[in-house]
Amino acid sequence: MGKRAGRGMSSLPGLPSPGPKRIKNGVDPGPTGIKSGVDPMEELVGAICDSIIVYPSGWEDTIPERWKNELPMHRLIHVSLCNHGKAEWDEATDLEAMLYMYPASLDFPLGEQWSRIYLHLGTKVMGDKFPEDIRVETLSAYDEGALRDLKRWIQKKKVEARKARRRQEKAQDKERKAELEPAKYEMMRLL
């Protein structure tokens, strides 16, 4: 067990403590859920290209391929719901939350609250395929707040990874252009 033995299992490591937070940084997303600074086209592209954020453990490679393949469609549906004010831009999808929790559930026993949340996500994502005896149809307001915090944290990490990837691509483009410049001038001198 090592380091994990003394850790409380009521919250997932690296996440804020559970509790509903509706207004962040003094910005109320308003009734439509659209906050300033969210580019719907960027989110649309991100729905297809963004990284999958998972709990860091040795179990990441056991995530079922069908869930990975379904993720872009879930993200696209989420973007559409956000565009129509039926979902929040700053939250990840239910499938993304389930994918994050999947390796954690194999790495250590989840606490009672996170077990309920994980089973609720399984119920929502898998529908009729999810076993009847462990289905969790609804969550308490407290558990729902913890789930929303998790989804916001995942979305934040996903956007950070997107921006880091974009910065890296720009730096690589700049390096390529710098390498091509001397060759371009050399060719011009030869002509």
Side-chain angles (χ1 to χ4, degrees):
M1 288 267 187
K3 293 182 200 174
R4 298 192 197 287
R7 183 177 66 207
M9 297 299 169
S10 63
S11 66
L12 291 175
L15 296 180
S17 59
K21 294 177 187 159
R22 303 295 177 247
I23 299 177
K24 282 196 117 165
N25 299 329
V27 178
D28 184 357
T32 63
I34 298 176
K35 293 194 312 187
S36 62
V38 175
D39 180 2
M41 289 307 293
E42 185 177 317
E43 293 300 320
L44 187 64
V45 171
I48 299 166
C49 301
D50 278 348
S51 302
I52 300 173
I53 307 297
V54 296
Y55 179 83
S57 73
W59 296 96
E60 296 93 335
D61 57 341
T62 64
I63 294 173
E65 285 299 316
R66 75 177 193 289
W67 290 349
K68 293 180 195 176
N69 295 336
E70 290 175 9
L71 184 57
M73 186 57 68
H74 282 254
R75 287 176 171 172
L76 289 170
I77 291 168
H78 181 74
V79 168
S80 177
L81 291 171
C82 289
N83 276 327
H84 291 93
K86 296 180 181 175
E88 293 191 36
W89 287 107
D90 65 345
E91 290 185 6
T93 66
D94 290 328
L95 179 56
E96 286 176 295
M98 191 171 83
L99 288 174
Y100 179 83
M101 292 183 71
Y102 178 82
S105 71
L106 297 174
D107 197 35
F108 58 88
L110 298 175
E112 180 186 345
Q113 179 186 28
W114 288 107
S115 294
R116 277 191 310 271
I117 291 169
Y118 187 56
L119 293 174
H120 176 71
L121 289 168
T123 301
K124 286 179 76 174
V125 170
M126 297 177 68
D128 294 337
K129 297 177 193 169
F130 202 70
E132 192 68 37
D133 58 333
I134 59 172
R135 295 175 75 84
V136 176
E137 299 290 340
T138 60
L139 291 175
S140 68
Y142 186 75
D143 289 350
E144 190 67 40
L147 174 58
R148 292 185 78 179
D149 286 344
L150 173 64
K151 291 163 89 175
R152 286 183 178 122
W153 183 85
I154 292 169
Q155 181 68 16
K156 178 182 168 194
K157 294 297 179 186
K158 188 172 67 169
V159 170
E160 287 173 3
R162 180 190 312 158
K163 289 178 180 178
R165 185 177 62 240
R166 193 174 354 179
R167 280 192 303 271
Q168 184 180 20
E169 288 171 357
K170 283 183 181 181
Q172 288 173 346
D173 286 346
K174 194 173 185 179
E175 287 176 16
R176 275 190 235 119
K177 285 180 183 178
E179 290 172 1
L180 293 176
E181 279 302 310
K184 184 170 112 178
Y185 288 122
E186 186 65 32
M187 287 176 59
M188 290 176 75
R189 277 193 301 173
L190 293 174
L191 297 176

PDB file of all heavy atoms in Angstrom, residues 86-115:
ATOM      1  N   LYS A  86     -27.925  24.320 -22.377  1.00  0.00           N
ATOM      2  CA  LYS A  86     -28.421  23.189 -21.585  1.00  0.00           C
ATOM      3  C   LYS A  86     -27.314  22.468 -20.832  1.00  0.00           C
ATOM      4  O   LYS A  86     -27.576  21.475 -20.160  1.00  0.00           O
ATOM      5  CB  LYS A  86     -29.168  22.222 -22.491  1.00  0.00           C
ATOM      6  CG  LYS A  86     -30.409  22.852 -23.104  1.00  0.00           C
ATOM      7  CD  LYS A  86     -31.144  21.915 -23.993  1.00  0.00           C
ATOM      8  CE  LYS A  86     -32.366  22.627 -24.577  1.00  0.00           C
ATOM      9  NZ  LYS A  86     -33.065  21.810 -25.532  1.00  0.00           N
ATOM     10  N   ALA A  87     -26.085  22.925 -20.974  1.00  0.00           N
ATOM     11  CA  ALA A  87     -24.932  22.374 -20.246  1.00  0.00           C
ATOM     12  C   ALA A  87     -23.941  23.504 -20.046  1.00  0.00           C
ATOM     13  O   ALA A  87     -24.058  24.568 -20.668  1.00  0.00           O
ATOM     14  CB  ALA A  87     -24.298  21.225 -21.017  1.00  0.00           C
ATOM     15  N   GLU A  88     -22.983  23.285 -19.169  1.00  0.00           N
ATOM     16  CA  GLU A  88     -22.015  24.332 -18.855  1.00  0.00           C
ATOM     17  C   GLU A  88     -20.691  24.091 -19.587  1.00  0.00           C
ATOM     18  O   GLU A  88     -20.190  22.970 -19.624  1.00  0.00           O
ATOM     19  CB  GLU A  88     -21.781  24.391 -17.345  1.00  0.00           C
ATOM     20  CG  GLU A  88     -23.011  24.854 -16.598  1.00  0.00           C
ATOM     21  CD  GLU A  88     -22.724  25.182 -15.156  1.00  0.00           C
ATOM     22  OE1 GLU A  88     -21.624  25.706 -14.868  1.00  0.00           O
ATOM     23  OE2 GLU A  88     -23.596  24.917 -14.329  1.00  0.00           O
ATOM     24  N   TRP A  89     -20.131  25.163 -20.117  1.00  0.00           N
ATOM     25  CA  TRP A  89     -18.877  25.095 -20.849  1.00  0.00           C
ATOM     26  C   TRP A  89     -17.721  24.650 -19.965  1.00  0.00           C
ATOM     27  O   TRP A  89     -16.784  24.023 -20.447  1.00  0.00           O
ATOM     28  CB  TRP A  89     -18.529  26.463 -21.451  1.00  0.00           C
ATOM     29  CG  TRP A  89     -19.363  26.849 -22.621  1.00  0.00           C
ATOM     30  CD1 TRP A  89     -20.339  27.798 -22.639  1.00  0.00           C
ATOM     31  CD2 TRP A  89     -19.306  26.320 -23.950  1.00  0.00           C
ATOM     32  NE1 TRP A  89     -20.892  27.883 -23.887  1.00  0.00           N
ATOM     33  CE2 TRP A  89     -20.271  26.993 -24.719  1.00  0.00           C
ATOM     34  CE3 TRP A  89     -18.536  25.341 -24.565  1.00  0.00           C
ATOM     35  CZ2 TRP A  89     -20.487  26.719 -26.066  1.00  0.00           C
ATOM     36  CZ3 TRP A  89     -18.750  25.067 -25.905  1.00  0.00           C
ATOM     37  CH2 TRP A  89     -19.712  25.754 -26.642  1.00  0.00           C
ATOM     38  N   ASP A  90     -17.775  24.994 -18.692  1.00  0.00           N
ATOM     39  CA  ASP A  90     -16.623  24.718 -17.837  1.00  0.00           C
ATOM     40  C   ASP A  90     -16.661  23.323 -17.206  1.00  0.00           C
ATOM     41  O   ASP A  90     -15.899  23.035 -16.299  1.00  0.00           O
ATOM     42  CB  ASP A  90     -16.481  25.797 -16.751  1.00  0.00           C
ATOM     43  CG  ASP A  90     -17.637  25.827 -15.772  1.00  0.00           C
ATOM     44  OD1 ASP A  90     -18.691  25.228 -16.067  1.00  0.00           O
ATOM     45  OD2 ASP A  90     -17.482  26.451 -14.713  1.00  0.00           O
ATOM     46  N   GLU A  91     -17.520  22.457 -17.704  1.00  0.00           N
ATOM     47  CA  GLU A  91     -17.590  21.092 -17.197  1.00  0.00           C
ATOM     48  C   GLU A  91     -17.284  20.093 -18.296  1.00  0.00           C
ATOM     49  O   GLU A  91     -17.678  20.273 -19.446  1.00  0.00           O
ATOM     50  CB  GLU A  91     -18.981  20.785 -16.629  1.00  0.00           C
ATOM     51  CG  GLU A  91     -19.283  21.510 -15.347  1.00  0.00           C
ATOM     52  CD  GLU A  91     -20.623  21.096 -14.753  1.00  0.00           C
ATOM     53  OE1 GLU A  91     -21.266  20.171 -15.271  1.00  0.00           O
ATOM     54  OE2 GLU A  91     -21.012  21.725 -13.761  1.00  0.00           O
ATOM     55  N   ALA A  92     -16.600  19.017 -17.916  1.00  0.00           N
ATOM     56  CA  ALA A  92     -16.343  17.907 -18.823  1.00  0.00           C
ATOM     57  C   ALA A  92     -17.603  17.047 -18.904  1.00  0.00           C
ATOM     58  O   ALA A  92     -18.577  17.256 -18.171  1.00  0.00           O
ATOM     59  CB  ALA A  92     -15.165  17.087 -18.309  1.00  0.00           C
ATOM     60  N   THR A  93     -17.591  16.059 -19.771  1.00  0.00           N
ATOM     61  CA  THR A  93     -18.740  15.171 -19.936  1.00  0.00           C
ATOM     62  C   THR A  93     -18.751  14.097 -18.842  1.00  0.00           C
ATOM     63  O   THR A  93     -17.757  13.879 -18.154  1.00  0.00           O
ATOM     64  CB  THR A  93     -18.701  14.467 -21.300  1.00  0.00           C
ATOM     65  OG1 THR A  93     -17.570  13.586 -21.336  1.00  0.00           O
ATOM     66  CG2 THR A  93     -18.592  15.469 -22.443  1.00  0.00           C
ATOM     67  N   ASP A  94     -19.880  13.420 -18.728  1.00  0.00           N
ATOM     68  CA  ASP A  94     -19.980  12.312 -17.776  1.00  0.00           C
ATOM     69  C   ASP A  94     -18.988  11.206 -18.125  1.00  0.00           C
ATOM     70  O   ASP A  94     -18.367  10.621 -17.249  1.00  0.00           O
ATOM     71  CB  ASP A  94     -21.407  11.739 -17.756  1.00  0.00           C
ATOM     72  CG  ASP A  94     -22.408  12.686 -17.124  1.00  0.00           C
ATOM     73  OD1 ASP A  94     -22.023  13.437 -16.208  1.00  0.00           O
ATOM     74  OD2 ASP A  94     -23.584  12.676 -17.544  1.00  0.00           O
ATOM     75  N   LEU A  95     -18.835  10.922 -19.420  1.00  0.00           N
ATOM     76  CA  LEU A  95     -17.884   9.883 -19.833  1.00  0.00           C
ATOM     77  C   LEU A  95     -16.460  10.276 -19.461  1.00  0.00           C
ATOM     78  O   LEU A  95     -15.674   9.435 -19.000  1.00  0.00           O
ATOM     79  CB  LEU A  95     -17.995   9.609 -21.336  1.00  0.00           C
ATOM     80  CG  LEU A  95     -17.036   8.564 -21.898  1.00  0.00           C
ATOM     81  CD1 LEU A  95     -17.175   7.225 -21.172  1.00  0.00           C
ATOM     82  CD2 LEU A  95     -17.255   8.379 -23.394  1.00  0.00           C
ATOM     83  N   GLU A  96     -16.104  11.550 -19.628  1.00  0.00           N
ATOM     84  CA  GLU A  96     -14.761  11.989 -19.245  1.00  0.00           C
ATOM     85  C   GLU A  96     -14.531  11.812 -17.752  1.00  0.00           C
ATOM     86  O   GLU A  96     -13.446  11.395 -17.326  1.00  0.00           O
ATOM     87  CB  GLU A  96     -14.545  13.454 -19.637  1.00  0.00           C
ATOM     88  CG  GLU A  96     -14.360  13.640 -21.126  1.00  0.00           C
ATOM     89  CD  GLU A  96     -14.252  15.091 -21.517  1.00  0.00           C
ATOM     90  OE1 GLU A  96     -15.243  15.825 -21.346  1.00  0.00           O
ATOM     91  OE2 GLU A  96     -13.170  15.482 -21.988  1.00  0.00           O
ATOM     92  N   ALA A  97     -15.546  12.111 -16.937  1.00  0.00           N
ATOM     93  CA  ALA A  97     -15.422  11.920 -15.494  1.00  0.00           C
ATOM     94  C   ALA A  97     -15.263  10.436 -15.171  1.00  0.00           C
ATOM     95  O   ALA A  97     -14.450  10.057 -14.331  1.00  0.00           O
ATOM     96  CB  ALA A  97     -16.639  12.503 -14.778  1.00  0.00           C
ATOM     97  N   MET A  98     -16.017   9.593 -15.867  1.00  0.00           N
ATOM     98  CA  MET A  98     -15.911   8.156 -15.632  1.00  0.00           C
ATOM     99  C   MET A  98     -14.534   7.641 -16.062  1.00  0.00           C
ATOM    100  O   MET A  98     -13.929   6.817 -15.374  1.00  0.00           O
ATOM    101  CB  MET A  98     -17.018   7.410 -16.380  1.00  0.00           C
ATOM    102  CG  MET A  98     -17.121   5.950 -15.978  1.00  0.00           C
ATOM    103  SD  MET A  98     -18.574   5.132 -16.651  1.00  0.00           S
ATOM    104  CE  MET A  98     -17.983   4.712 -18.271  1.00  0.00           C
ATOM    105  N   LEU A  99     -14.030   8.136 -17.192  1.00  0.00           N
ATOM    106  CA  LEU A  99     -12.702   7.725 -17.657  1.00  0.00           C
ATOM    107  C   LEU A  99     -11.614   8.160 -16.680  1.00  0.00           C
ATOM    108  O   LEU A  99     -10.628   7.449 -16.484  1.00  0.00           O
ATOM    109  CB  LEU A  99     -12.412   8.300 -19.050  1.00  0.00           C
ATOM    110  CG  LEU A  99     -13.183   7.668 -20.197  1.00  0.00           C
ATOM    111  CD1 LEU A  99     -12.915   8.421 -21.485  1.00  0.00           C
ATOM    112  CD2 LEU A  99     -12.822   6.207 -20.354  1.00  0.00           C
ATOM    113  N   TYR A 100     -11.776   9.329 -16.066  1.00  0.00           N
ATOM    114  CA  TYR A 100     -10.802   9.774 -15.073  1.00  0.00           C
ATOM    115  C   TYR A 100     -10.819   8.843 -13.866  1.00  0.00           C
ATOM    116  O   TYR A 100      -9.774   8.448 -13.347  1.00  0.00           O
ATOM    117  CB  TYR A 100     -11.084  11.211 -14.617  1.00  0.00           C
ATOM    118  CG  TYR A 100     -10.090  11.669 -13.577  1.00  0.00           C
ATOM    119  CD1 TYR A 100      -8.854  12.172 -13.965  1.00  0.00           C
ATOM    120  CD2 TYR A 100     -10.357  11.553 -12.220  1.00  0.00           C
ATOM    121  CE1 TYR A 100      -7.916  12.554 -13.019  1.00  0.00           C
ATOM    122  CE2 TYR A 100      -9.433  11.930 -11.272  1.00  0.00           C
ATOM    123  CZ  TYR A 100      -8.208  12.426 -11.678  1.00  0.00           C
ATOM    124  OH  TYR A 100      -7.270  12.791 -10.739  1.00  0.00           O
ATOM    125  N   MET A 101     -11.988   8.477 -13.430  1.00  0.00           N
ATOM    126  CA  MET A 101     -12.120   7.676 -12.216  1.00  0.00           C
ATOM    127  C   MET A 101     -11.792   6.198 -12.424  1.00  0.00           C
ATOM    128  O   MET A 101     -11.454   5.495 -11.468  1.00  0.00           O
ATOM    129  CB  MET A 101     -13.529   7.815 -11.652  1.00  0.00           C
ATOM    130  CG  MET A 101     -13.818   9.193 -11.108  1.00  0.00           C
ATOM    131  SD  MET A 101     -15.448   9.319 -10.366  1.00  0.00           S
ATOM    132  CE  MET A 101     -15.188   8.344  -8.881  1.00  0.00           C
ATOM    133  N   TYR A 102     -11.882   5.707 -13.655  1.00  0.00           N
ATOM    134  CA  TYR A 102     -11.668   4.288 -13.926  1.00  0.00           C
ATOM    135  C   TYR A 102     -10.323   3.776 -13.394  1.00  0.00           C
ATOM    136  O   TYR A 102     -10.292   2.822 -12.616  1.00  0.00           O
ATOM    137  CB  TYR A 102     -11.819   4.023 -15.429  1.00  0.00           C
ATOM    138  CG  TYR A 102     -11.564   2.602 -15.831  1.00  0.00           C
ATOM    139  CD1 TYR A 102     -12.559   1.639 -15.702  1.00  0.00           C
ATOM    140  CD2 TYR A 102     -10.334   2.210 -16.340  1.00  0.00           C
ATOM    141  CE1 TYR A 102     -12.328   0.331 -16.070  1.00  0.00           C
ATOM    142  CE2 TYR A 102     -10.096   0.902 -16.705  1.00  0.00           C
ATOM    143  CZ  TYR A 102     -11.096  -0.040 -16.567  1.00  0.00           C
ATOM    144  OH  TYR A 102     -10.855  -1.342 -16.938  1.00  0.00           O
ATOM    145  N   PRO A 103      -9.172   4.393 -13.766  1.00  0.00           N
ATOM    146  CA  PRO A 103      -7.904   3.898 -13.223  1.00  0.00           C
ATOM    147  C   PRO A 103      -7.797   4.076 -11.710  1.00  0.00           C
ATOM    148  O   PRO A 103      -7.185   3.251 -11.032  1.00  0.00           O
ATOM    149  CB  PRO A 103      -6.826   4.722 -13.934  1.00  0.00           C
ATOM    150  CG  PRO A 103      -7.496   5.451 -15.017  1.00  0.00           C
ATOM    151  CD  PRO A 103      -8.956   5.466 -14.722  1.00  0.00           C
ATOM    152  N   ALA A 104      -8.405   5.134 -11.174  1.00  0.00           N
ATOM    153  CA  ALA A 104      -8.372   5.344  -9.726  1.00  0.00           C
ATOM    154  C   ALA A 104      -9.099   4.208  -9.017  1.00  0.00           C
ATOM    155  O   ALA A 104      -8.647   3.719  -7.970  1.00  0.00           O
ATOM    156  CB  ALA A 104      -9.006   6.683  -9.362  1.00  0.00           C
ATOM    157  N   SER A 105     -10.212   3.760  -9.591  1.00  0.00           N
ATOM    158  CA  SER A 105     -10.989   2.694  -8.957  1.00  0.00           C
ATOM    159  C   SER A 105     -10.232   1.372  -8.959  1.00  0.00           C
ATOM    160  O   SER A 105     -10.503   0.501  -8.133  1.00  0.00           O
ATOM    161  CB  SER A 105     -12.344   2.526  -9.655  1.00  0.00           C
ATOM    162  OG  SER A 105     -12.180   1.954 -10.942  1.00  0.00           O
ATOM    163  N   LEU A 106      -9.293   1.211  -9.868  1.00  0.00           N
ATOM    164  CA  LEU A 106      -8.476  -0.004  -9.907  1.00  0.00           C
ATOM    165  C   LEU A 106      -7.216   0.129  -9.051  1.00  0.00           C
ATOM    166  O   LEU A 106      -6.612  -0.873  -8.679  1.00  0.00           O
ATOM    167  CB  LEU A 106      -8.075  -0.324 -11.352  1.00  0.00           C
ATOM    168  CG  LEU A 106      -9.232  -0.624 -12.305  1.00  0.00           C
ATOM    169  CD1 LEU A 106      -8.714  -0.768 -13.728  1.00  0.00           C
ATOM    170  CD2 LEU A 106      -9.997  -1.853 -11.875  1.00  0.00           C
ATOM    171  N   ASP A 107      -6.842   1.369  -8.754  1.00  0.00           N
ATOM    172  CA  ASP A 107      -5.607   1.625  -8.004  1.00  0.00           C
ATOM    173  C   ASP A 107      -5.815   1.550  -6.496  1.00  0.00           C
ATOM    174  O   ASP A 107      -4.933   1.125  -5.769  1.00  0.00           O
ATOM    175  CB  ASP A 107      -5.054   3.000  -8.398  1.00  0.00           C
ATOM    176  CG  ASP A 107      -3.616   3.197  -8.005  1.00  0.00           C
ATOM    177  OD1 ASP A 107      -2.852   2.216  -8.046  1.00  0.00           O
ATOM    178  OD2 ASP A 107      -3.257   4.340  -7.666  1.00  0.00           O
ATOM    179  N   PHE A 108      -6.964   1.988  -6.023  1.00  0.00           N
ATOM    180  CA  PHE A 108      -7.256   1.966  -4.585  1.00  0.00           C
ATOM    181  C   PHE A 108      -8.770   1.959  -4.398  1.00  0.00           C
ATOM    182  O   PHE A 108      -9.508   2.359  -5.294  1.00  0.00           O
ATOM    183  CB  PHE A 108      -6.633   3.167  -3.860  1.00  0.00           C
ATOM    184  CG  PHE A 108      -7.069   4.503  -4.387  1.00  0.00           C
ATOM    185  CD1 PHE A 108      -8.211   5.125  -3.901  1.00  0.00           C
ATOM    186  CD2 PHE A 108      -6.333   5.148  -5.378  1.00  0.00           C
ATOM    187  CE1 PHE A 108      -8.614   6.357  -4.377  1.00  0.00           C
ATOM    188  CE2 PHE A 108      -6.737   6.385  -5.866  1.00  0.00           C
ATOM    189  CZ  PHE A 108      -7.876   6.994  -5.367  1.00  0.00           C
ATOM    190  N   PRO A 109      -9.230   1.493  -3.239  1.00  0.00           N
ATOM    191  CA  PRO A 109     -10.675   1.496  -2.993  1.00  0.00           C
ATOM    192  C   PRO A 109     -11.208   2.918  -2.890  1.00  0.00           C
ATOM    193  O   PRO A 109     -10.665   3.744  -2.165  1.00  0.00           O
ATOM    194  CB  PRO A 109     -10.827   0.778  -1.650  1.00  0.00           C
ATOM    195  CG  PRO A 109      -9.493   0.243  -1.290  1.00  0.00           C
ATOM    196  CD  PRO A 109      -8.475   0.911  -2.134  1.00  0.00           C
ATOM    197  N   LEU A 110     -12.259   3.186  -3.620  1.00  0.00           N
ATOM    198  CA  LEU A 110     -12.888   4.498  -3.554  1.00  0.00           C
ATOM    199  C   LEU A 110     -13.701   4.601  -2.273  1.00  0.00           C
ATOM    200  O   LEU A 110     -14.267   3.611  -1.815  1.00  0.00           O
ATOM    201  CB  LEU A 110     -13.807   4.715  -4.759  1.00  0.00           C
ATOM    202  CG  LEU A 110     -13.158   4.712  -6.135  1.00  0.00           C
ATOM    203  CD1 LEU A 110     -14.228   4.818  -7.216  1.00  0.00           C
ATOM    204  CD2 LEU A 110     -12.141   5.822  -6.277  1.00  0.00           C
ATOM    205  N   GLY A 111     -13.764   5.797  -1.732  1.00  0.00           N
ATOM    206  CA  GLY A 111     -14.601   6.029  -0.559  1.00  0.00           C
ATOM    207  C   GLY A 111     -16.064   5.911  -0.929  1.00  0.00           C
ATOM    208  O   GLY A 111     -16.438   5.808  -2.101  1.00  0.00           O
ATOM    209  N   GLU A 112     -16.903   5.954   0.073  1.00  0.00           N
ATOM    210  CA  GLU A 112     -18.341   5.777  -0.148  1.00  0.00           C
ATOM    211  C   GLU A 112     -18.901   6.803  -1.133  1.00  0.00           C
ATOM    212  O   GLU A 112     -19.617   6.454  -2.073  1.00  0.00           O
ATOM    213  CB  GLU A 112     -19.069   5.883   1.189  1.00  0.00           C
ATOM    214  CG  GLU A 112     -20.568   5.720   1.079  1.00  0.00           C
ATOM    215  CD  GLU A 112     -21.279   5.964   2.396  1.00  0.00           C
ATOM    216  OE1 GLU A 112     -20.628   5.993   3.457  1.00  0.00           O
ATOM    217  OE2 GLU A 112     -22.509   6.140   2.337  1.00  0.00           O
ATOM    218  N   GLN A 113     -18.542   8.077  -0.958  1.00  0.00           N
ATOM    219  CA  GLN A 113     -19.069   9.129  -1.829  1.00  0.00           C
ATOM    220  C   GLN A 113     -18.626   8.928  -3.268  1.00  0.00           C
ATOM    221  O   GLN A 113     -19.440   8.977  -4.192  1.00  0.00           O
ATOM    222  CB  GLN A 113     -18.620  10.506  -1.332  1.00  0.00           C
ATOM    223  CG  GLN A 113     -19.115  11.627  -2.224  1.00  0.00           C
ATOM    224  CD  GLN A 113     -18.558  12.981  -1.837  1.00  0.00           C
ATOM    225  OE1 GLN A 113     -17.473  13.079  -1.289  1.00  0.00           O
ATOM    226  NE2 GLN A 113     -19.309  14.024  -2.117  1.00  0.00           N
ATOM    227  N   TRP A 114     -17.326   8.680  -3.477  1.00  0.00           N
ATOM    228  CA  TRP A 114     -16.821   8.535  -4.842  1.00  0.00           C
ATOM    229  C   TRP A 114     -17.300   7.250  -5.480  1.00  0.00           C
ATOM    230  O   TRP A 114     -17.461   7.178  -6.702  1.00  0.00           O
ATOM    231  CB  TRP A 114     -15.307   8.670  -4.867  1.00  0.00           C
ATOM    232  CG  TRP A 114     -14.901  10.091  -4.639  1.00  0.00           C
ATOM    233  CD1 TRP A 114     -14.344  10.617  -3.518  1.00  0.00           C
ATOM    234  CD2 TRP A 114     -15.084  11.193  -5.541  1.00  0.00           C
ATOM    235  NE1 TRP A 114     -14.158  11.971  -3.664  1.00  0.00           N
ATOM    236  CE2 TRP A 114     -14.600  12.346  -4.905  1.00  0.00           C
ATOM    237  CE3 TRP A 114     -15.611  11.313  -6.820  1.00  0.00           C
ATOM    238  CZ2 TRP A 114     -14.633  13.604  -5.499  1.00  0.00           C
ATOM    239  CZ3 TRP A 114     -15.629  12.561  -7.425  1.00  0.00           C
ATOM    240  CH2 TRP A 114     -15.150  13.692  -6.759  1.00  0.00           C
ATOM    241  N   SER A 115     -17.578   6.225  -4.673  1.00  0.00           N
ATOM    242  CA  SER A 115     -18.170   4.996  -5.212  1.00  0.00           C
ATOM    243  C   SER A 115     -19.562   5.282  -5.766  1.00  0.00           C
ATOM    244  O   SER A 115     -19.908   4.839  -6.863  1.00  0.00           O
ATOM    245  CB  SER A 115     -18.256   3.910  -4.136  1.00  0.00           C
ATOM    246  OG  SER A 115     -16.968   3.509  -3.740  1.00  0.00           O
TER     247      SER A 115
END
